[in-house]
């Protein structure tokens, strides 16, 4: 039936202009919806009807993508035309014909989207239809610059994710295969926006950050819908590791371009470690993700202090060490706490060494202050040494209990 319908629609495909060819695509969406209605109401065959309605939803996205190309051929918002392949180049002959195509698309797409979602996920049909049409309409925006594409892709993912996450807690049917497919169709336009930009336009660091960050957020949402010990959760976390790295690297490249290479290393560690700590909250055994985050954070902040020695790097190193100590203490990882302490000492030690070089130790005032400081420090250790040792032993005991 599909082959016959497609053969009929393809007759005269090479004739006429791009608008006439687009109208053929639009008529295919209408026929898919009619076929689904016929199977459902005339033959009472709901499974076949769901297939037709699912194809109708995909067809709407194809129509919107093509219509977006037609609009872009006449209007570009801060974008330059690329050298398109012949099959991807669509040109609108005149403005009136383009407006008629837009109105026809909306007139067909709205009822088809609503009817399809009524069949696939009846209780959430209104929400799914609205989100589906919204994300598809984003395909019509005549923007191709990386900044704008990144913002559009981010909106196309974040807004539906937030609304669907709330809706899933109220509608359990969204977790069925039909419901998951219906939700997936909402995100297809975002995938097309991303793929179109990567394929046909230059990709800079800003677009990479936006796309990788969007992918990380989407994977976070997917992980929350799986069982903690499931195979899907493990693969989602593994992909999140790749998304975290893909986000941190272009951020570091931008910092290196506008500031310095040493600071770029700091930023790389901070961004990657922060994202990996977020991944650890979704892991059944978070120790590997936490260890990786801590090691990267420590190394990326220690190396600039050793080779550059700027005050800003020392401050970042001290803050990173304190953050490592806080995270390690929360999870009871004693060895990681020691690494945090070393990181703090490196940051402080470099500044002490520079300060020592400025001090004249042959001066009697310096020697007096130094001797007095040593006496006071020794007195404090003698008075509170037992209490400090007791606190340390208690911390070690808590860490051992955590591991058990």
């Amino acid at each position: 039936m599909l082959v016959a319908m497609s053969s009929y629609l393809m007759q005269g495909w090479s004739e006429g202009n791009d608008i006439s060819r687009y109208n053929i695509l639009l008529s295919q969406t209408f026929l898919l919806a009619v076929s689904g209605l016929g199977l459902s109401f005339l033959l009472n065959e709901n499974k076949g009807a769901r297939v037709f309605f699912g194809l109708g939803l995909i067809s709407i996205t194809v129509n919107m993508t093509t219509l977006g190309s037609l609009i872009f051929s006449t209007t570009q918002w801060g974008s330059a035309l690329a050298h398109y392949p012949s099959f991807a180049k669509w040109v609108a002959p005149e403005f009136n014909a383009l407006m008629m195509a837009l109105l026809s698309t909306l007139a067909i797409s709205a009822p088809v989207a609503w009817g399809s979602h009524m069949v696939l996920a009846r209780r959430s049909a209104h929400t799914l239809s609205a989100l589906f049409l919204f994300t598809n309409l984003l395909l019509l925006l005549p923007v191709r610059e990386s900044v704008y594409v990144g913002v559009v892709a981010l909106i196309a993912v974040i807004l539906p994710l937030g609304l669907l996450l709330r809706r899933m807690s109220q509608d359990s049917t969204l977790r069925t295969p039909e419901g998951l497919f219906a939700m997936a169709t909402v995100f297809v336009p975002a995938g097309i926006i991303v793929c179109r930009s990567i394929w046909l336009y230059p990709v800079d660091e800003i677009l990479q950050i936006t796309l990788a960050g969007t992918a990380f957020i989407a994977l976070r949402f997917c992980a929350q819908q799986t069982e903690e010990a499931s195979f899907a959760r493990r693969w989602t976390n593994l992909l999140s590791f790749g998304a975290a790295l893909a986000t941190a690297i272009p951020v570091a490249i931008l910092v290196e371009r506008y500031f310095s290479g040493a600071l770029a290393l700091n930023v790389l560690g901070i961004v990657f470690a922060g994202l990996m700590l977020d991944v650890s909250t979704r892991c059944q055994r978070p120790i590997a993700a936490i260890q990786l985050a801590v090691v990267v954070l420590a190394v990326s902040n220690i190396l600039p202090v050793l080779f550059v020695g700027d005050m800003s790097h020392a401050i970042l190193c001290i803050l990173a060490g304190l953050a490592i100590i806080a995270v390690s203490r929360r999870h009871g990882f004693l060895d990681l706490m020691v690494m945090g302490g070393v990181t703090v000492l490196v940051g402080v030690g470099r500044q002490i060494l520079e300060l020592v070089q400025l001090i004249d130790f042959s001066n009697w005032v310096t020697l007096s202050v130094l001797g007095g400081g040593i006496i006071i420090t020794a007195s404090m250790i003698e008075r509170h040494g037992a209490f400090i040792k007791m606190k340390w032993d208690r911390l070690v005991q808590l860490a051992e209990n955590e591991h058990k």
Side-chain angles (χ1 to χ4, degrees):
M1 188 174 183
L2 283 173
V3 172
M5 181 176 61
S6 299
S7 300
Y8 170 75
L9 290 173
M10 291 301 174
Q11 292 178 6
W13 180 257
S14 60
E15 300 174 1
N17 54 29
D18 285 345
I19 289 293
S20 64
R21 287 192 285 272
Y22 175 73
N23 290 332
I24 295 176
L25 281 176
L26 195 58
S27 64
Q28 184 177 17
T29 301
F30 177 76
L31 290 178
L32 286 169
V34 170
S35 299
L37 288 173
L39 277 177
S40 179
F41 291 101
L42 299 179
L43 301 179
N44 293 322
E45 173 51 45
N46 294 326
K47 290 184 178 179
R50 284 195 290 268
V51 173
F52 274 110
F53 283 121
L55 292 173
L57 291 174
I58 301 299
S59 180
I60 289 174
T61 302
V62 173
N63 294 336
M64 290 291 189
T65 305
T66 307
L67 184 59
S69 299
L70 291 171
I71 294 175
F72 187 70
S73 69
T74 61
T75 305
Q76 297 95 41
W77 294 347
S79 302
L81 284 171
H83 296 288
Y84 292 108
S86 58
F87 64 86
K89 188 174 182 179
W90 291 75
V91 179
E94 57 183 6
F95 181 77
N96 292 335
L98 184 59
M99 289 298 100
M100 288 300 299
L102 176 59
L103 294 176
S104 301
T105 301
L106 294 177
I108 293 177
S109 299
V112 171
W114 181 80
S116 300
H117 288 114
M118 283 292 290
V119 172
L120 296 172
R122 180 180 297 272
R123 292 170 57 184
S124 300
H126 296 292
T127 301
L128 289 170
S129 300
L131 291 174
F132 177 78
L133 292 174
F134 171 75
T135 55
N136 275 275
L137 288 174
L138 293 177
L139 289 166
L140 305 184
L141 295 177
V143 293
R144 299 296 186 269
E145 295 294 330
S146 61
V147 176
Y148 304 123
V149 169
V151 172
V152 172
L154 190 63
I155 293 173
V157 173
I158 300 302
L159 181 60
L161 274 179
L163 294 176
L164 290 177
L165 183 61
R166 183 185 307 173
R167 187 62 190 170
M168 288 181 70
S169 62
Q170 303 171 358
D171 184 5
S172 59
T173 61
L174 290 176
R175 299 182 184 274
T176 63
E178 293 83 1
L180 292 174
F181 175 80
M183 289 193 297
T185 59
V186 174
F187 299 100
V188 172
I192 292 176
I193 292 171
V194 171
C195 294
R196 181 179 62 189
S197 298
I198 294 175
W199 181 24
L200 299 175
Y201 299 93
V203 179
D204 58 13
E205 287 78 14
I206 295 177
L207 183 58
Q208 292 178 34
I209 294 169
T210 307
L211 297 182
T214 303
F216 185 87
I217 296 172
L219 289 168
R220 192 178 194 277
F221 169 80
C222 294
Q224 292 173 346
Q225 313 310 315
T226 60
E227 297 293 335
E228 185 176 2
S230 65
F231 178 78
R233 174 68 70 89
R234 291 195 295 271
W235 268 100
T236 304
N237 291 335
L238 184 62
L239 292 174
S240 297
F241 163 77
L245 191 61
T247 303
I249 290 176
V251 172
I253 292 174
L254 286 178
V255 173
E256 181 183 14
R257 182 178 303 166
Y258 295 105
F259 296 96
S260 67
L263 186 60
L265 188 59
N266 291 105
V267 173
L268 174 66
I270 292 170
V271 174
F272 181 76
L275 294 177
M276 287 307 299
L277 288 177
D278 180 78
V279 173
S280 70
T281 61
R282 307 189 295 273
C283 296
Q284 186 180 17
R285 295 180 179 178
I287 182 172
I290 295 175
Q291 286 178 335
L292 179 61
V294 166
V295 170
V296 170
L297 185 61
V299 172
S300 63
N301 283 276
I302 289 175
L303 290 179
V305 171
L306 296 178
F307 293 101
V308 178
D310 187 73
M311 175 68 74
S312 61
H313 297 300
I315 294 174
L316 288 175
C317 188
I318 294 171
L319 293 176
L322 293 176
I324 292 172
I325 292 173
V327 172
S328 304
R329 182 177 181 181
R330 178 180 178 182
H331 294 278
F333 298 143
L334 183 61
D335 52 344
L336 299 183
M337 284 188 64
V338 174
M339 183 176 292
V342 171
T343 306
V344 172
L345 290 176
V346 170
V348 175
R350 182 58 185 260
Q351 299 309 305
I352 292 177
L353 289 176
E354 293 184 357
L355 181 62
V356 167
Q357 294 175 0
L358 299 176
I359 297 176
D360 182 12
F361 285 97
S362 62
N363 189 285
W364 68 272
V365 177
T366 303
L367 294 174
S368 299
V369 172
L370 182 61
I374 293 173
I375 293 172
I376 294 173
T377 303
S379 299
M380 295 294 293
I381 293 175
E382 183 177 359
R383 179 176 179 82
H384 301 285
F387 178 75
I388 295 173
K389 186 177 184 302
M390 182 182 67
K391 294 287 290 185
W392 176 259
D393 292 339
R394 183 179 178 184
L395 187 61
V396 172
Q397 185 64 35
L398 287 175
E400 292 176 353
N401 293 336
E402 286 284 343
H403 287 294
K404 291 179 180 180

